[in-house]
Amino acid sequence: MVTRSISASRLVPMLGAALETTPAYRGLADALRLLVADGRVPVGTRLPSERDLTTALGVSRTTVTRAYADLRDRGYLASRQGSGSVAALPGEGPGRRQGTALQPTSDQLVGDVVDLTCASMSAPGGTVAAYERAVLELPRYLTGTGYHPLGLTSLREALADQYTERGLATTPDQIMVTSGALAGLAVTARALLSPGDRVLLESPTYPNAIDTLRRSGARAVALPLDRDGWDVEAADAALRQTAPRAAYLIPDFHNPTGALMSEEQRAGLADALAGTHTVGIVDETLVDLAHDPGLVMPRPLAAHHPRTVTLGGASKSYWGGLRIGWIRAPRDLMAALVSARLTLDLGAPVLEQLVLTDLLARREQVLAERRSAIVSSRDALVSALRDRLPQWQFRLPEGGLCLWVELPEALSTPLCAAADQRGLVLAPGAQFAVEGGMERYLRLPFTGHSPEVIDQAVERLALAWADAQSARPTRQGRTPLVA
């Protein structure tokens, strides 16, 4: 098993003002505990030796020794033969992840229950008309078998044109239409990965992607995102230490953080991927959802790293009911992708492909309407949170469908349990963690509900937060974790 490590020089800046606490060892232990609990130091990472950390901090050896001992007593540090002191979570083995895939409901408001687990929208205006036009086109396909493993030519041409316009030259033979972006990920995993292959994933990330890759036999390895998004130097170190076969990334309005990877970061990350011969698997399902119509988007990551498979889908930009996604890949990988796809299904529904082709022809109008609704809902959620829960911190995203909120205390899972009792369904931060932690975070989608329902949801959220705080353990140093 490959053990990752973090150097003392990299760890020290992450500790903040830890040593200002008295006694110093307690401040150091608490700072390290939070780094592990939040997933910024992934479970299974080898920490610096006591001697190296002592030198880097300029403190006594006793301070570091007592801090490490405290962390071992509380389950946040384990001793592994040949690996020294390794980050852990209480009651867990290294690499074990809490939570399961998100399970969307058919309605986000059922009776008096508000579901805030699904970041999605209802169908845009004009969808019925698009179906009507598609039905008129359907007869000319009925004389065939209906199986189109690569997808309809008209749709593949439209998608290829979009990539080319964005700075990634693409032809229709590089496109495969799938039954959703997640199906595209399953096809890609089956084509490119073997059981036991390591895959690097940002942490936090989309839970269903974690489970899809794990069920393919892949071993998930976390790449922690910091508060500003990607640290290319850290990514390069993680790639060199773990040598993954592939890296699953969401550079465009990242789910759940909303971060947007810059052109410079994409170029740097591409160099790191190329240096370790790692295939990029890039999820672009949110790329069309910039909140500001004037935002200049970076080129696709595949424009910097040709050995990249790009996944797209209609669910976020258009409607989940279409169940249409796609893969854009290098030509030399298409044969393997087609072979893998045929073990899963034989093609996406013809009618829905025709509908999406129609919607793409009026893409700008549809996205402008979507943008207006998204920004209105976002502003309603932001206003309500700042009014009722002012201590909660979040970064206003430039795009996407949700806020990634940092809580004042590590109570995400107890908060979700308390919210459930008040008719509010939430997904805890731990569900988005690759290797555990994230108990100080919560994803809050701001789509699918009217501003009035959002306001009601935040009112319940504030009451649930008070419930979770009143029920938390009072023993000093105890942090509630997922059961």
Side-chain angles (χ1 to χ4, degrees):
M1 177 177 179
V2 174
T3 300
R4 298 172 61 181
S5 62
I6 184 168
S7 66
S9 60
R10 174 158 176 76
L11 180 62
V12 169
M14 300 169 68
L15 296 173
L19 298 182
E20 294 179 6
T21 300
T22 303
Y25 86 88
R26 171 63 68 184
L28 176 58
D30 284 344
L32 288 168
R33 176 179 58 81
L34 286 177
L35 289 175
V36 176
D38 289 349
R40 284 178 283 167
V41 173
V43 171
T45 299
R46 181 174 63 239
L47 270 62
S49 68
E50 293 179 9
R51 182 176 61 184
D52 288 349
L53 189 55
T54 296
T55 301
L57 287 172
V59 298
S60 70
R61 179 72 173 267
T62 301
T63 296
V64 177
T65 299
R66 292 190 67 183
Y68 275 22
D70 181 79
L71 290 170
R72 288 191 185 92
D73 290 343
R74 296 156 71 184
Y76 289 92
L77 206 61
S79 296
R80 186 185 298 167
Q81 187 173 3
S83 298
S85 299
V86 177
L89 286 173
E92 294 190 4
R96 179 183 168 191
R97 172 180 163 263
Q98 301 288 354
T100 58
L102 295 174
Q103 300 182 24
T105 57
S106 58
D107 295 293
Q108 289 182 281
L109 181 61
V110 182
D112 193 42
V113 176
V114 180
D115 187 345
L116 290 185
T117 63
C118 189
S120 62
M121 296 179 282
S122 57
T127 301
V128 171
Y131 266 93
E132 291 172 345
R133 289 189 290 269
V135 168
L136 295 177
E137 292 287 322
L138 187 60
R140 65 192 182 98
Y141 293 92
L142 297 179
T143 56
T145 64
Y147 297 127
H148 300 271
L150 285 175
L152 299 184
T153 300
S154 58
L155 178 54
R156 291 161 58 211
E157 288 175 345
L159 293 170
D161 288 345
Q162 285 194 11
Y163 280 112
T164 300
E165 290 170 5
R166 293 174 52 214
L168 177 61
T170 302
T171 54
D173 63 319
Q174 293 178 268
I175 301 289
M176 174 191 290
V177 179
T178 62
S179 300
L182 198 60
L185 177 59
V187 169
T188 303
R190 184 165 293 198
L192 303 183
L193 303 177
S194 299
D197 281 349
R198 287 183 289 275
V199 178
L200 190 72
L201 299 94
E202 299 142 333
S203 188
T205 194
Y206 179 41
N208 298 44
I210 303 174
D211 284 3
T212 296
L213 290 167
R214 280 214 168 100
R215 288 178 183 272
S216 75
R219 294 163 56 189
V221 178
L223 171 63
L225 296 188
D226 60 30
R227 287 175 172 82
D228 297 318
W230 296 264
D231 182 329
V232 174
E233 182 180 343
D236 181 63
L239 286 164
R240 285 187 284 102
Q241 290 183 23
T242 62
R245 174 77 175 92
Y248 172 81
L249 305 164
I250 311 176
D252 302 288
F253 312 128
H254 178 266
N255 182 8
T257 69
L260 176 63
M261 188 183 293
S262 69
E263 190 84 22
E264 182 181 4
Q265 288 174 320
R266 292 173 196 235
L269 188 54
D271 288 343
L273 292 169
T276 53
H277 306 288
T278 301
V279 176
I281 304 175
V282 171
D283 185 334
E284 287 193 338
T285 51
L286 295 164
V287 69
D288 288 331
L289 300 181
H291 297 169
D292 179 356
L295 179 66
V296 177
M297 291 292 293
R299 289 179 298 160
L301 197 146
H304 298 277
H305 182 53
R307 298 299 291 173
T308 290
V309 175
T310 304
L311 310 175
S315 295
K316 304 302 185 183
S317 301
Y318 298 94
W319 183 46
L322 284 173
R323 304 312 316 132
I324 298 294
W326 54 88
I327 299 171
R328 187 271 178 201
R331 289 184 181 84
D332 64 332
L333 293 182
M334 288 301 296
L337 290 167
V338 171
S339 295
R341 198 269 172 76
L342 295 177
T343 67
L344 296 169
D345 66 20
L346 301 179
V350 171
L351 180 62
E352 276 64 30
Q353 291 188 66
L354 292 171
V355 172
L356 180 57
T357 304
D358 184 277
L359 290 171
L360 288 174
R362 56 188 192 90
R363 174 176 175 269
E364 295 305 322
Q365 177 187 345
V366 172
L367 294 181
E369 294 172 359
R370 301 307 245 176
R371 185 178 300 114
S372 177
I374 289 170
V375 171
S376 176
S377 297
R378 180 203 68 189
D379 291 348
L381 177 59
V382 168
S383 176
L385 287 174
R386 287 175 174 167
D387 180 47
R388 294 184 176 87
L389 293 160
Q391 291 183 315
W392 288 20
Q393 298 181 20
F394 52 86
R395 172 182 169 275
L396 196 65
E398 294 181 276
L401 300 173
C402 54
L403 293 181
W404 183 240
V405 178
E406 182 175 355
L407 308 175
E409 299 179 71
L411 295 173
S412 182
T413 297
L415 169 62
C416 293
D420 190 65
Q421 297 301 309
R422 293 188 175 274
L424 180 63
V425 184
L426 304 170
Q431 207 159 352
F432 299 82
V434 175
E435 294 178 336
M438 301 293 171
E439 272 297 309
R440 289 207 304 166
Y441 294 90
L442 182 71
R443 190 188 78 161
L444 292 178
F446 42 72
T447 55
H449 297 295
S450 68
E452 292 76 21
V453 172
I454 289 174
D455 191 69
Q456 179 190 93
V458 174
E459 183 175 349
R460 297 183 188 183
L461 188 59
L463 293 172
W465 177 244
D467 294 341
Q469 286 182 301
S470 64
R472 70 185 183 278
T474 57
R475 181 178 172 184
Q476 184 181 12
R478 286 292 178 185
T479 301
L481 289 169
V482 183

